Amino acid sequence: MAEAIVAQNVTKDFVLRRHKTFKQMSVAKMRGQETVNRFNAVDDVSFTINEGESVGLMGLNGSGKSTLLKVISGVMKPNKGTILTRGRIAGLIATGAGFQNSLSGLDNIFLNAAIYGLTEKETKAVLDDIIDFADIGQFIDQPVGTYSSGMSSRLGFSIAVHVDCDIFLADEILAVGDKPFKRKCMTKMEEIRNSGKTIVYVSHAAASVQKMCDRVIALEKGRLLFDGDVDEGIRILDYGDEDGDELAADDAELGADV
Amino acid sequence: MSEATLAHGSTEDAELPPLVPPSSTLGLLSVFRRRYLLKLLVQRELSARYEQSFLGFLWSYINPLSQFFIYWYIMGTIMGAHKSVENYPVHVFSGLIIVHFFTETFGAGTRSIVRNKSLVQKMPLPKEMFPVAAMLVSLYHVIPQMFILLLVCVLTGWHPDLGTLIGGVLALAILMCFGTALALVFSVANVFWRDFGSLVGILTNFVRFGCTMIYSYDMLAQHAGSLRWLVLGNPIAVACLLFQRAFWAFSTENPQHTIKHEFPAHLYHQGVFALIAAFVALLLAQWFFNRFDERIAEQI
Ligand SMILES: Nc1ncnc2c1ncn2[C@@H]1O[C@H](COP(=O)(O)OP(=O)(O)OP(=O)(O)O)[C@@H](O)[C@H]1O
Ligand SMILES: [Mg+2]
């Protein structure tokens, strides 16, 4: 089977600027301090994801999951190593879609679809489905800046699932949605998975990863900690075990609902 | 991907899209390949440039017109330019249109990437789109101003020749390239240090006074001596002269006399050089843009 995503020694560093102004910078220079400081948010990560696989990307806060998704989607470029992908990539990265706040929901649908590479005709063909799925009623004509965070991720998710992509990236899509929408999302994601598309799914909810994915990639401080079986991955990350009460309850709820 | 490709597996490999780096773009070339996206961005820029304002797009006329009246009254009437430059209002206005096109491209282009922060952070698209869209929006605003200019020219007895067309198009082409070049460089610089946004205001002032708009070429030649090459070496000033030759010169009493005495001797040659220089500037700007492109999404 063909590869969908190939990552080879992918490293993405960020510059931490300690000193912002000219004055601060010259003082630091005179004292011989470093003015820029780099750290690797994604550090030497390699993996291959085949077409049709659905992979859960897990790790603690700040472990580099969203950064890795940005590298896969092409928003960011790795400093070292290479990333190769096949076909159209759509999805939600780092909670919330890339919207233009001053534009209406409708205009944003067209703009986002065009960025994904759809033509005007293709967009019009799925427009009703997108609006129906997002289900935000009359607010579709209002500026996106006035939306609640749940509403804008509903719209973003709805656009992303309707653009007929080859690779679907989902970063904590369930974080802000309400329960009925979470259920709808999970159903839709399963539909996408069953249609043979590649999915990279970021979530802290072990139950939903268990349900959705057939492989887990875990990051720790930007490094690849684990790549393999779902249950083992979740165990290594300690999700669900210690201080499990709250988490387990959360997951159980999700699992029961979906 | 369809069921069919799945079923046939690797035999259908040739039909699959290729494995490519997801962030690869061809810079300005990708911008022109993705014309539909560019069109959407231009449309939204057109409505967004003056969003939340009651007069809306009228501001793009109020702005140059107010400048026009200031120059017309202060330079023309108080300083006496009406007497020394024939048909002075048309002289100012034809220069103003082209200079304003440049300053708008420069200003809006510089802010363009930062303004689209939320898109840049989350969606992969060639970021050159934004400065180019800003340039096209400014170009669009030139159209109605041209109608006003043509009307005034016709009323004051204008007889265009073929050089009018060539000069006008050449002037616009120079500034489309040069404006985009500066917008590219400043838009990316503005992501890292917002100081560049403030610098634009100062540079814009230099541009306004560095062009033969409120003073004539004749005055410049008399006073500036060899310093006038500082002005003539500037593609914006050359574009301004070309535009004035196209419109103002032909609205004067004796166009041939005006062209001979009020313009540099080899204006069209200079125009072609300016176009080449602007194009080279565009290539350099693209190179500069590429160098910093990958840090834009995280630094913005
Ligand atoms: N634009 C940026 N500039 C500097 N540092 C950044 C930038 N974006 C992310 N980082 C840093 O990179 C690290 C990884 O961040 P990332 O958002 O990928 O984490 P994450 O795994 O998605 O976490 P979470 O589970 O909270 O979503 C963090 O330490 C963060 O501070
Ligand atoms: Mg994240």
Side-chain angles (χ1 to χ4, degrees), chain A residues 12-13 85-86 99 115 196, chain B residues 1 17 20 34 118 295 298:
Chain A
K12 174 70 197 145
D13 69 8
T85 57
R86 197 193 296 278
F99 282 148
I115 295 174
Chain B
M1 197 180 65
V20 289
R34 304 185 66 178
S118 58
R295 293 269 174 208
E298 64 200 62

Side-chain angles (χ1 to χ4, degrees), chain A residues 193-248:
Chain A
R193 184 191 60 188
N194 296 339
S195 73
K197 286 174 183 161
T198 314
I199 294 180
V200 181
Y201 176 62
V202 175
S203 175
H204 293 291
S208 70
V209 173
Q210 255 160 349
K211 197 165 170 51
M212 274 299 306
C213 307
D214 34 50
R215 175 177 164 193
V216 160
I217 292 179
L219 295 180
E220 187 182 55
K221 296 193 176 135
R223 298 193 140 264
L224 192 73
L225 175 71
F226 175 83
D227 181 357
D229 179 63
V230 176
D231 293 321
E232 207 180 323
I234 291 171
R235 197 168 55 245
I236 285 179
L237 280 165
D238 271 356
Y239 277 132
D241 265 353
E242 64 188 60
D243 51 62
D245 309 341
E246 212 181 309
L247 275 175

Side-chain angles (χ1 to χ4, degrees), chain A residues 14 16 39 41 60-67 172 204, chain B residues 298:
Chain A
F14 286 123
L16 296 178
F39 87 107
L60 302 176
N61 291 141
S63 55
K65 304 180 297 293
S66 300
T67 308
E172 303 186 52
H204 293 291
Chain B
E298 64 200 62

